Amino acid sequence: MNAQLQPTGSAYFIERETAKPEAHTLSVLVDNEPGVLARVIGLFSGRGYNIDSLTVSETEHERHLSRITIVTRGTPQVLEQIRHQLERIVPVHRVVDLTVVARERGHDRPLERELALVKVTGTGDQRVEALRLADAFRASVIDANTEHFIFEITGRVSKIEQFIAIMKPLGLIEVCRTGVAALNRGPEGM
């Protein structure tokens, strides 16, 4: 019997998901206490969601609140589910999808910045070229000797990625990145 599946009128008939996954930046305000980060991260790993970037720090010392910034990928339905599940964790005070808020305000993305430390070795022309390109990218030399440089660069993720790609053939040895820190434009807070 080759009958096509038809909607049955049941609320449980599931239509195939056609939306494409996209990256979103979530900001989560939590109590700064032991185990909170593990619970938040456990939600992602337990459901098979990936985290592209994660930063966390106490931002309101008097109230002992920390801000977790998470960049993750998913369809709009999955991202909404993640947001709702995060809101149900007890020490979570607020969850904001900064990407959605930015779009509502007429912007493509929230303001996002990342810091990277990039170690490059080289001599002669490669060394001169690495310094020239670092200057073009506004990267600072924070450590140097006759064998290597360590550059500090801050900017959008795309700028960091481009700088790393350009440094690879010039002697890139090591990279350390902070992850994305993000805020939305405008006078309103989270």
Side-chain angles (χ1 to χ4, degrees):
M1 197 174 218
N2 289 351
Q4 278 187 319
L5 286 177
Q6 296 290 327
T8 62
S10 167
Y12 297 105
F13 183 84
I14 299 175
E15 194 172 312
R16 182 174 257 158
E17 182 73 42
T18 58
K20 292 184 179 180
E22 55 183 36
H24 276 235
T25 304
L26 307 175
S27 189
V28 185
L29 193 62
V30 299
D31 287 337
N32 185 12
E33 59 186 41
V36 174
L37 181 61
R39 290 177 70 189
V40 169
I41 301 313
L43 181 144
F44 281 81
S45 64
R47 288 162 181 79
Y49 304 140
N50 191 39
I51 295 174
D52 294 338
S53 174
L54 172 71
T55 59
V56 61
S57 182
E58 186 175 66
T59 55
E60 296 184 39
H61 300 298
E62 302 80 33
R63 295 175 52 202
H64 300 289
L65 295 177
S66 289
R67 183 176 179 138
I68 302 172
T69 305
I70 302 168
V71 178
T72 189
R73 294 185 170 276
T75 62
Q77 179 184 352
V78 167
L79 292 163
E80 187 69 16
Q81 183 180 20
I82 289 171
R83 192 175 64 76
H84 286 305
Q85 290 172 348
L86 283 169
E87 287 171 340
R88 286 194 289 247
I89 297 175
V90 172
V92 171
H93 293 275
R94 185 135 190 246
V95 180
V96 175
D97 186 330
L98 296 175
T99 305
V100 169
V101 172
R103 288 180 183 162
E104 289 170 355
R105 294 178 180 173
H107 305 286
D108 184 42
R109 306 255 335 140
L111 291 171
E112 298 174 332
R113 295 295 183 265
E114 184 174 12
L115 178 131
L117 300 178
V118 179
K119 186 185 291 185
V120 179
T121 63
T123 58
D125 290 343
Q126 283 187 320
R127 184 175 177 86
V128 172
E129 184 65 4
L131 276 173
R132 186 187 70 74
L133 288 168
D135 186 53
F137 276 82
R138 296 188 181 141
S140 302
V141 176
I142 59 170
D143 185 54
N145 66 23
T146 58
E147 299 170 345
H148 79 276
F149 292 110
I150 297 178
F151 298 109
E152 175 184 78
I153 183 168
T154 304
R156 286 188 251 175
V157 174
S158 59
K159 176 184 175 182
I160 305 293
E161 294 286 343
Q162 188 179 15
F163 183 72
I164 291 168
I166 287 172
M167 288 297 155
K168 278 184 182 175
L170 297 176
L172 178 74
I173 296 297
E174 189 175 4
V175 177
C176 181
R177 298 171 71 163
T178 61
V180 172
L183 290 174
N184 269 314
R185 295 170 174 90
E188 303 87 17
M190 189 178 144

